[in-house]
Amino acid sequence: MGKLAVRILFSITFFLVLVSRILPATSQEVEDEKEFDYNPNGEKGPAQWGRIHPDEWGACSNGSMQSPIDLLDERVDVVSHLGRLNRCYRPGNATLRNRGHDMMLKWERGAGTIQINGTEYILNQCHWHSPSEHTINGKKYISDVNFPIPLFLSIAMLALEAHMVHESLDGKVAVVGIMYKIGRPDSFLSSLTKQLQSVAGSYERDTVVGVVDPRNIKIGSRKYYRYIGSLTIPPCTENVLWTMVKKVRTATRDQVRLLRVAVHDDSDTNARPLQAINSRSVKLFRPEDKDD
């Protein structure tokens, strides 16, 4: 009986190790972001992320499919076969979490799904980066929103990027990204103003928000870019399926500033620099009809 128990224990251990090696990496971004920062010349800045924890974060330095990238029209393949984003989101209880450099809105039991290429991904969380991490046609935009910005610059500035992070049951990760320029208020961020102000006035890590409906996160277009990349914060896990909405939405300067103030990291940016595309394919889905 003793030998049988040992064999069973060995078999279970072997199975768990095997599964951990076979299954795709999950969307577990770092929950405590104090170990790294965004200082381009600092010891914990983006260029050093892979050296902080070489075994776990090595992809940040050595990966070949890293994000964000420049969405350059000249290298994009325009296609019509990818299809519309099939989103089946639903309201769910959510918590605002200060991870150290960004605010994350986390749904306790997921908030519905999105279906891509026959795979269903569960929406787990949404967080924001400022300025926008991805760029369009090589344009690098102003990052400091703490000072007045001339109107003509505000129109062109990509001040913010939202990441809606999804995960399939077998651990595959899909992120839907939405870019914003300075302009009219974003209605979804407006609905979180009181909670964000509460977070900004305290040093609590988690703030209960209540029921939040992700369907209120507006996209406004059926056109989107699609490519394979990575998480944009450590551990920089690769093979992430990226969908970047082509339409640039708007948010106010105050809304962008509040997202930065709430994290208390005394930084005016939490955007990773652009990464090499390394011959990756970038597709732009454009419907054949003209209704978009």
Side-chain angles (χ1 to χ4, degrees):
M1 193 67 180
K3 291 183 178 179
L4 179 61
V6 170
R7 288 179 180 176
I8 293 174
L9 179 61
F10 175 79
S11 299
I12 293 174
T13 303
F14 177 78
F15 175 76
L16 291 175
V17 171
L18 182 64
V19 168
S20 68
R21 292 177 180 274
I22 292 176
L23 288 180
T26 68
S27 62
Q28 295 303 313
E29 299 171 312
V30 173
E31 289 290 322
D32 185 350
E33 300 178 334
K34 295 178 182 177
E35 290 190 89
F36 70 92
D37 61 33
Y38 290 87
N39 183 348
N41 302 313
E43 295 180 355
K44 299 191 297 182
Q48 309 300 326
W49 289 354
R51 297 185 178 92
I52 297 174
H53 294 293
D55 292 336
E56 296 86 1
W57 298 4
C60 299
S61 297
N62 306 321
S64 60
M65 296 187 295
Q66 290 291 291
S67 297
I69 63 171
D70 175 39
L71 302 169
L72 183 65
D73 284 346
E74 294 177 359
R75 69 165 67 104
V76 166
D77 295 324
V78 180
V79 298
S80 59
H81 67 272
L82 292 178
R84 297 181 62 176
L85 292 178
N86 187 7
R87 298 177 295 153
C88 298
Y89 296 149
R90 56 176 171 75
N93 287 312
T95 299
L96 271 174
R97 172 167 294 176
N98 180 356
R99 295 198 293 186
H101 296 304
D102 66 38
M103 293 303 305
M104 177 180 70
L105 182 68
K106 185 177 181 64
W107 282 273
E108 294 177 9
R109 300 177 182 274
T113 62
I114 187 171
Q115 192 172 76
I116 303 175
N117 298 333
T119 299
E120 203 168 61
Y121 298 84
I122 300 169
L123 174 61
N124 289 327
Q125 54 107 330
C126 177
H127 62 270
W128 294 266
H129 296 269
S130 59
S132 175
E133 292 194 305
H134 289 80
T135 59
I136 298 177
N137 293 325
K139 294 180 180 178
K140 197 66 178 178
Y141 298 91
I142 300 171
S143 62
D144 195 341
V145 297
N146 294 312
F147 300 99
I149 301 171
L151 179 60
F152 73 94
L153 288 178
S154 298
I155 293 173
M157 170 184 171
L158 290 186
L160 187 69
E161 183 170 320
H163 291 167
M164 302 177 71
V165 183
H166 309 68
E167 186 173 353
S168 67
L169 292 178
D170 60 353
K172 297 175 183 176
V173 181
V175 181
V176 175
I178 307 167
M179 294 177 283
Y180 301 80
K181 62 185 178 183
I182 298 298
R184 295 176 61 85
D186 175 69
S187 58
F188 185 73
L189 287 175
S190 294
S191 71
L192 297 176
T193 297
K194 290 184 179 179
Q195 290 87 347
L196 286 169
Q197 289 174 339
S198 175
V199 172
S202 73
Y203 284 85
E204 294 293 329
R205 186 185 185 212
D206 292 336
T207 301
V208 175
V209 178
V211 176
V212 176
D213 191 344
R215 292 173 296 187
N216 293 330
I217 301 177
K218 304 300 182 184
I219 290 181
S221 174
R222 289 184 291 167
K223 299 176 185 176
Y224 58 81
Y225 299 94
R226 171 71 51 75
Y227 78 99
I228 303 297
S230 73
L231 301 177
T232 65
I233 68 171
C236 307
T237 308
E238 296 192 325
N239 290 311
V240 172
L241 183 63
W242 275 91
T243 300
M244 290 298 303
V245 178
K246 189 175 191 298
K247 181 179 178 65
V248 177
R249 301 196 62 82
T250 61
T252 67
R253 190 178 295 109
D254 287 341
Q255 288 179 321
V256 177
R257 184 186 296 117
L258 182 56
L259 287 168
R260 296 301 314 132
V261 171
V263 297
H264 304 289
D265 71 345
D266 299 321
S267 175
D268 60 8
T269 180
N270 65 340
R272 188 187 190 191
L274 291 175
Q275 304 296 301
I277 191 168
N278 293 328
S279 302
R280 278 177 284 174
S281 171
V282 180
K283 300 186 183 301
L284 171 61
F285 170 68
R286 188 164 61 191
E288 292 182 342
D289 59 80
K290 304 299 182 181
D291 296 335
D292 193 17

